[in-house]
Amino acid sequence: MVQQQGRSRVAPPLHVVISTGEVSGDLQGSFLVKALYRQAQSQGLSLQVSALGGQRMAAAGADLIADTTAIGSVGLFEAIPYILPTLKVQKRLKQRLEDIPADLFVFLDYMGPNLTLGQFLQKTYPVLPTAYYIAPQQWVWTFSQKDTQTLVEISDRMIAVFPQEAEYYRQFGAQVAYFGHPLVDDFADPPTRVTARQSLGLALEDTVITLLPASRHQEVKYVLPLMLAVAERLRQAIPQVQFLLPLSMGKLRSVIESQVTQSGINARVIEGDTRSAIAAADLVLNKSGTVNLEVALLNVPQVVIYRLNPLTARIAYYLLNFRVDYVSPVNLFVNKSIIPEFLQWQATVDNVTQTSLQILADEQTRSAILAGYQELREQMGQPGVCDRVATELLTFASESEGKA
């Protein structure tokens, strides 16, 4: 068939590739994917999103290259088991880039793998526009400035989710934008304590403590046993207490349930309704991470604990001189202590139990935490963060395409 002269060719969709990992990356990636499609539609753009991520991103419309939610760790030795799986995933991504050239590559958190990918892209696709969204928290726990400089070098644009993060990367020459934290979009209308308890069949007068120990395999090993030991002490102090344990990863269910059974704690394991399990609680015992912000936005007091491999911790502390004031995003956002944190050697059963009992019993302590949450929310920005981020990324991709 002879093509008619003058017939216009349909331009291929704008192809955005996102690289992230772990449960929190999949969550934030899903928000971004939805916003990208919303903004592309409003601008009349045809869009295709490919991703390394998880099922949330796939449900949001991303073409999933590989599931990376179970590939992630914190620490030196903890990362070793994930080297080979990461290499396999990156091989699949590189094949995708050969098959469908990207118009924009977005790194989202997930520092180690994304650093490696960024350096590969610099060499192989030197004109491919790149952006880093939710940049690694180098401003909190960097051991050297080398990785920070590399992050800036592989990123044509950076979009920060903490004000201090934006200031930090600008000092290294990055072109950074800050629109607020994306979680505020997802918590515009959170469940109340009453509705959450009704949905879970809990009485309003019940004392409820929710345990959030793990989204990584290493946390099942180092954080969950401590949390269960604290739960047992709290049960002894408050015999009628009820424990909820929502799962962030279904793959961890069997090992978590096994430890819960061995502990003797009558904890109700919940899959698929984490938000209600948090909103229904009088107190959350929480591992450190983005979930700390989710608990704060649901207005529930929390105690944050974290443990690493003891050897990793000693190397970081004694050899790398790792010292930080805070690690929880809640405290980092306002640069002061809103919620108690217990890390490594301070994370003992006695310390966590005593603090938990104080929060449960002392109204002044609870009120101080809730007042801190209000200050936090004021600094996290107004809803619409993800759409502002998506608009920035699409504008950057379109402008770069026009220059190509």
Side-chain angles (χ1 to χ4, degrees):
M1 179 181 293
V2 179
Q3 185 177 11
Q4 296 179 12
Q5 288 187 349
R7 175 176 292 181
S8 61
R9 298 176 59 189
V10 177
L14 194 69
H15 186 205
V16 176
V17 180
I18 303 172
S19 170
T20 190
E22 303 187 303
V23 174
S24 61
D26 183 35
L27 175 65
Q28 298 297 340
S30 69
F31 297 157
L32 179 60
V33 172
K34 292 175 184 176
L36 284 169
Y37 279 117
R38 279 197 303 270
Q39 293 307 308
Q41 184 178 25
S42 69
Q43 297 176 31
L45 294 174
S46 178
L47 178 68
Q48 176 182 358
V49 178
S50 301
L52 299 179
Q55 295 308 311
R56 284 190 176 100
M57 294 180 73
D63 181 8
L64 202 62
I65 302 168
D67 192 326
T68 55
T69 51
I71 304 176
S73 61
V74 175
L76 305 173
F77 301 101
E78 292 86 343
I80 293 174
Y82 301 106
I83 293 175
L84 185 57
T86 297
L87 291 174
K88 290 181 178 179
V89 164
Q90 291 182 349
K91 182 178 180 181
R92 294 174 67 176
L93 172 63
K94 292 171 184 178
Q95 183 61 54
R96 175 62 59 89
L97 292 175
E98 290 182 13
D99 295 340
I100 311 175
D103 297 297
L104 175 66
F105 198 100
V106 180
F107 309 107
L108 197 160
D109 201 0
Y110 207 40
M111 177 171 163
N114 277 337
L115 270 179
T116 302
L117 275 177
Q119 292 171 318
F120 164 79
L121 293 176
Q122 272 191 317
K123 295 177 182 178
T124 311
Y125 304 97
V127 298
L128 172 62
T130 57
Y132 218 121
Y133 175 48
I134 310 184
Q137 293 179 348
Q138 293 296 96
W139 51 281
V140 179
W141 48 29
T142 184
F143 295 122
S144 73
Q145 294 184 351
K146 182 179 179 182
D147 284 344
T148 299
Q149 195 60 58
T150 302
L151 285 166
V152 172
E153 289 171 357
I154 66 172
S155 310
D156 297 318
R157 298 284 192 279
M158 299 185 89
I159 300 177
V161 296
F162 291 84
Q164 305 96 314
E165 182 181 290
E167 295 172 7
Y168 174 81
Y169 283 108
R170 285 190 187 109
Q171 294 173 8
F172 289 84
Q175 187 167 335
V176 188
Y178 172 69
F179 300 106
H181 198 286
L183 275 181
V184 300
D185 291 357
D186 198 43
F187 285 80
D189 187 24
T192 66
R193 181 175 183 271
V194 173
T195 58
R197 291 198 171 205
Q198 287 176 342
S199 70
L200 295 171
L202 298 167
L204 292 179
E205 64 272 16
D206 291 342
T207 298
V208 178
I209 298 176
T210 295
L211 312 178
L212 295 173
S215 61
R216 302 181 177 103
H217 290 280
Q218 72 180 78
E219 291 160 350
V220 174
K221 182 175 182 180
Y222 296 114
V223 178
L224 179 58
L226 168 64
M227 204 171 280
L228 292 175
V230 171
E232 170 58 23
R233 290 277 292 275
L234 292 172
R235 186 190 63 79
Q236 293 173 10
I238 313 171
Q240 76 278 14
V241 67
Q242 297 192 46
F243 295 101
L244 305 178
L245 201 164
L247 297 176
S248 59
M249 281 183 61
K251 295 178 181 178
L252 298 178
R253 183 177 189 116
S254 61
V255 64
I256 288 177
E257 286 185 331
S258 175
Q259 286 201 35
V260 170
T261 300
Q262 291 175 22
S263 73
I265 294 298
N266 188 23
R268 178 177 166 188
V269 177
I270 296 173
E271 190 168 4
D273 198 5
T274 297
R275 190 162 298 181
S276 291
I278 295 171
D282 296 294
L283 175 69
V284 172
L285 298 184
N286 210 351
K287 64 115 179 178
S288 178
T290 303
V291 69
N292 302 163
L293 291 172
E294 297 179 45
V295 173
L297 290 170
L298 288 166
N299 225 34
V300 180
Q302 61 186 305
V303 178
V304 170
I305 63 178
Y306 210 80
R307 281 180 174 174
L308 296 169
N309 180 313
L311 184 54
T312 296
R314 291 186 181 279
I315 290 174
Y317 190 84
Y318 293 108
L319 297 183
L320 301 178
N321 197 34
F322 177 63
R323 306 287 192 277
V324 294
D325 294 326
Y326 314 111
V327 298
S328 169
V330 172
N331 294 334
L332 288 171
F333 228 107
V334 294
N335 196 31
K336 68 178 184 181
S337 180
I338 292 177
I339 56 175
E341 301 180 6
F342 295 100
L343 310 177
Q344 206 63 28
W345 301 288
Q346 286 73 43
T348 66
V349 175
D350 283 345
N351 284 345
V352 179
T353 300
Q354 290 172 13
T355 299
S356 299
L357 289 172
Q358 180 182 356
I359 292 173
L360 288 169
D362 183 27
E363 187 59 38
Q364 187 173 356
T365 300
R366 294 176 63 84
S367 295
I369 292 174
L370 299 182
Y373 286 168
Q374 181 60 40
E375 181 180 352
L376 168 69
R377 284 193 292 272
E378 291 171 356
Q379 295 195 31
M380 289 181 71
Q382 297 301 312
V385 173
C386 292
D387 285 299
R388 294 191 288 273
V389 170
T391 298
E392 176 85 358
L393 291 173
L394 291 174
T395 299
F396 175 49
S398 298
E399 290 175 349
S400 300
E401 185 182 39
K403 296 176 182 178

